[in-house]
Amino acid sequence: MELRHLRYFVAVVEEGSLTTAAALRLHTSQPSLSRQIRDLEDEVGAQLLSRSVHGVELTAAGKAFLDHARLALAQADTAVEAARRAAQPARKTFAIGFQTGQEMSWLPQAMHVLRDELKKIEVTISSDYSPDLAEALVRGRLDVAFMRAEPAFDLGYEVVDQEALIVLMPSDHRLTSREAIHPREFVGEIFIGGLHKATVLRAVTEDYLRRSGLDVKLNHGVDNLAMAISLVASTRGLALMPAYAKNLLPQSVVSRPLEGEAPTIDLVVGYNKANTSPVLKLFLSRLDELRAPRSEKKD
């Protein structure tokens, strides 16, 4: 008994006619199909189909045989598909992480850098806080991440952008009338800044206020941009945040640049120096393609 016999039998049953099955499903002649069905019945040792002027109908033996025939065909198709997948080289996975909010600006460019590899690899995307991205790189769950250079982790870092800090404030705050904000305006205001997980932002902010000769106390410390925006809206305070925050502001919160030379915070591509992925090597070799559009835009 061959698989083709089972396919012919199922086709005849589903079409209800030898002639229709032969012409439309199997692309063979009706006499040849009839002969194949007789060969199958001889092999089984029972009549499977009863023939009449109205077409064909299943016998009791045919009804018992049909489900098993369909199962056998399905298992055969599954086996073929499994063999084909095994014969093809597995697609490599390249995992990219983004500090939450940065994917809006950097994902298209990252995919452009990988344009020649996309048919050969599967790219996965995730977003998280910068320290969590660093841990994921260390553990091998990510290949690269757009993040802050986290001093607590022994990773490789390549700077791809420098973001100026800007001031976030409620949309009806008195300072919205200013085109730029001098740091002395923070005095007497509720001040919101980075804390535990936002250690890089906290260090940059504290250094800027110290160089400005200001003793501004932190009223609310936050670990991420979403927390900062929420606190600005609810406490009517001011926050110093990286410029990409402008892409995520609700109507209740607005931004203004700092007056004079604003402090900057580096955005880096982080990676595990022990990662030997050839795709990672290619990605790092093309980082100038990421930096170029930013440089041109700033000029």
Side-chain angles (χ1 to χ4, degrees):
M1 185 184 304
E2 300 179 20
L3 285 175
R4 62 186 173 87
H5 290 123
L6 300 183
R7 296 191 191 281
Y8 291 165
F9 170 72
V10 171
V12 171
V13 171
E14 290 178 349
E15 295 296 336
S17 165
L18 283 162
T19 303
T20 303
L24 301 183
R25 288 276 294 272
L26 304 173
H27 307 293
T28 187
S29 67
Q30 189 271 331
S32 175
L33 178 56
S34 296
R35 186 165 56 252
Q36 298 293 338
I37 296 298
R38 285 196 300 270
D39 289 345
L40 175 62
E41 290 175 325
D42 289 343
E43 184 74 22
V44 173
Q47 183 180 355
L48 303 176
L49 299 170
S50 62
R51 302 152 180 86
S52 70
V53 294
H54 302 294
V56 295
E57 293 182 357
L58 286 168
T59 64
K63 291 178 181 178
F65 186 76
L66 178 61
D67 289 341
H68 293 284
R70 283 174 168 157
L71 178 60
L73 290 171
Q75 290 175 331
D77 290 341
T78 300
V80 169
E81 182 61 28
R84 287 174 177 169
R85 286 199 303 268
Q88 297 174 350
R91 295 184 72 190
K92 297 178 181 178
T93 299
F94 190 71
I96 308 177
F98 293 90
Q99 185 174 357
T100 302
Q102 293 285 7
E103 61 270 34
M104 298 174 65
S105 300
W106 290 95
L107 177 56
Q109 291 166 253
M111 297 302 283
H112 179 73
V113 167
L114 293 170
R115 60 192 179 278
D116 297 333
E117 302 297 311
L118 291 179
K119 292 183 179 180
K120 297 179 286 186
I121 64 174
E122 179 180 350
V123 178
T124 63
I125 308 297
S126 60
S127 63
D128 213 328
Y129 306 143
S130 185
D132 295 326
L133 293 173
E135 184 176 350
L137 287 169
V138 169
R139 295 182 179 276
R141 295 196 297 265
L142 290 175
D143 291 293
V144 295
F146 289 75
M147 56 188 292
R148 305 303 175 196
E150 298 293 339
F153 294 87
D154 183 21
L155 295 168
Y157 297 112
E158 296 286 344
V159 177
V160 292
D161 196 18
Q162 290 184 317
E163 300 176 276
L165 296 192
I166 59 174
V167 184
L168 305 188
M169 64 187 75
S171 57
D172 59 351
H173 195 279
R174 64 179 180 83
L175 292 175
T176 57
S177 61
R178 309 282 180 87
E179 292 185 2
I181 307 301
H182 192 281
R184 64 172 172 266
E185 298 290 354
F186 293 125
V187 177
E189 295 282 347
I190 295 172
F191 185 65
I192 300 157
L195 196 58
H196 302 297
K197 288 192 174 184
T199 54
V200 180
L201 173 62
R202 180 179 182 179
V204 171
T205 301
E206 290 177 346
D207 178 67
Y208 172 66
L209 294 174
R210 185 170 53 253
R211 287 188 289 106
S212 300
L214 298 173
D215 182 21
V216 177
K217 301 299 182 184
L218 185 69
N219 298 106
H220 299 286
V222 298
D223 288 336
N224 58 76
L225 183 55
M227 292 172 62
I229 293 172
S230 177
L231 281 171
V232 168
S234 61
T235 68
R236 300 189 56 75
L238 304 180
L240 274 178
M241 290 289 141
Y244 81 95
K246 290 186 290 186
N247 298 328
L248 305 171
L249 297 181
Q251 291 185 348
S252 58
V253 177
V254 298
S255 68
R256 293 291 185 272
L258 283 164
E259 188 175 302
E261 186 176 352
T264 61
I265 184 168
D266 289 343
L267 179 73
V268 304
V269 167
Y271 60 96
N272 190 325
K273 290 177 282 189
N275 188 341
T276 60
S277 165
V279 182
L280 172 61
K281 183 178 180 180
L282 172 69
F283 190 87
L284 295 176
S285 73
R286 292 179 172 173
L287 287 183
D288 283 344
E289 296 181 33
L290 288 172
R291 298 184 182 105
R294 296 280 157 172
S295 300
E296 292 167 5
K297 186 174 181 180
K298 289 177 181 178
D299 293 342

